[in-house]
Amino acid sequence: GAVVSQHPSWVICKSGTSVKIECRSLDFQATTMFWYRQFPKQSLMLMATSNEGSKATYEQGVEKDKFLINHASLTLSTLTVTSAHPEDSSFYICSRQGVRNEQFFGPGTRLTVL
Amino acid sequence: TQLLEQSPQFLSIQEGENLTVYCNSSSVFSSLQWYRQEPGEGPVLLVTVVTGGEVKKLKRLTFQFGDARKDSSLHITAAQPGDTGLYLCAGATGGGNKLTFGTGTQLKVEL
């Protein structure tokens, strides 16, 4: 069964609004989770590492003020896309780490900004 | 920046054919994983290889980790339509917990 869930699975919003995506670790207390975005037919691009109880670590080129990450508990990380614009439309995927550095991914969230 | 190049980028074959996907880098990885992703879903882990030269089999899929731990291959025997998807390799380095993902191989197996 699934070990990571995401909600919502898809969302459509107007330009300028903010959207929150939840990622839950269902079987494991995850001190570290990851957020990726993926464009059609492309690989995953790591956006940030979410750390429970502390600030997220963002990859180079990712705006931390635009993509707000909160990891307030060991089973929940949230990604908020603030003031979304059409270019933010993408597939957002979260994951938690396994014991051998493998990752278990959520089902993804399709964001469409009109 | 570590890069993992996969080849081919796209592959369309008939059911029953064999294929090999390559994952190459100039960097050394402590472990390497292969994932398959279907449209609209998150990637699913297929295998993790850790030791240089290691070979793992998963039914019709054979995974090999290069001796120098810089490259890997995935061989599928007698491909089936259910094998269709995006195949991604991903490498981990040292004690870090981040993965570097490959560029991806889109496989389509037709009847």
Side-chain angles (χ1 to χ4, degrees):
Chain A
V3 298
V4 177
S5 68
Q6 279 185 243
H7 178 79
S9 56
W10 59 270
V11 57
I12 301 173
C13 68
K14 292 183 179 180
S15 186
T17 61
S18 295
V19 174
K20 180 186 283 188
I21 301 171
E22 294 185 346
C23 176
R24 293 184 183 276
S25 176
L26 303 177
D27 68 333
F28 191 79
Q29 291 186 323
T31 55
T32 302
M33 299 178 83
F34 302 91
W35 285 97
Y36 297 83
R37 68 186 295 182
Q38 184 179 34
F39 293 106
K41 301 202 186 297
Q42 293 188 21
S43 187
L44 277 67
M45 184 192 81
L46 178 66
M47 299 176 65
T49 302
S50 175
N51 304 299
E52 188 270 334
S54 64
K55 291 182 179 180
T57 305
Y58 290 82
E59 294 300 300
Q60 190 173 9
V62 178
E63 299 176 59
K64 62 180 181 181
D65 295 328
K66 181 166 185 62
F67 298 100
L68 300 179
I69 291 173
N70 184 278
H71 194 152
S73 79
L74 289 171
T75 60
L76 175 64
S77 176
T78 61
L79 167 68
T80 300
V81 183
T82 63
S83 186
H85 291 284
E87 57 266 29
D88 298 323
S89 297
S90 190
F91 193 53
Y92 292 87
I93 314 175
C94 68
S95 71
R96 73 150 180 88
Q97 189 176 0
V99 294
R100 290 198 294 176
N101 280 340
E102 74 273 34
Q103 292 187 12
F104 298 95
F105 290 87
T109 296
R110 171 74 58 194
L111 170 63
T112 301
V113 185
L114 302 176
Chain B
T1 302
Q2 300 161 330
L3 292 174
L4 270 171
E5 295 286 339
Q6 286 184 235
S7 62
Q9 186 177 0
F10 299 99
L11 189 56
S12 181
I13 61 173
Q14 299 294 312
E15 182 180 20
E17 292 185 25
N18 301 331
L19 67 116
T20 302
V21 177
Y22 299 94
C23 173
N24 295 297
S25 175
S26 57
S27 301
V28 176
F29 294 99
S30 58
S31 68
L32 192 137
Q33 292 101 47
W34 284 92
Y35 297 83
R36 180 172 69 216
Q37 183 182 24
E38 299 190 25
E41 299 180 11
V44 174
L45 178 69
L46 296 174
V47 77
T48 299
V49 286
V50 179
T51 306
E54 182 177 2
V55 176
K56 279 192 174 179
K57 287 196 172 186
L58 184 66
K59 297 184 179 178
R60 294 177 292 102
L61 279 61
T62 302
F63 305 85
Q64 184 164 9
F65 200 12
D67 291 340
R69 291 185 286 129
K70 293 182 179 181
D71 53 80
S72 181
S73 64
L74 158 60
H75 182 78
I76 301 179
T77 303
Q80 298 177 359
D83 296 327
T84 294
L86 177 66
Y87 287 80
L88 297 162
C89 62
T93 53
N97 55 15
K98 291 196 298 186
L99 290 180
T100 298
F101 275 86
T103 48
T105 295
Q106 187 69 51
L107 170 66
K108 184 175 182 181
V109 182
E110 297 180 290
L111 290 170

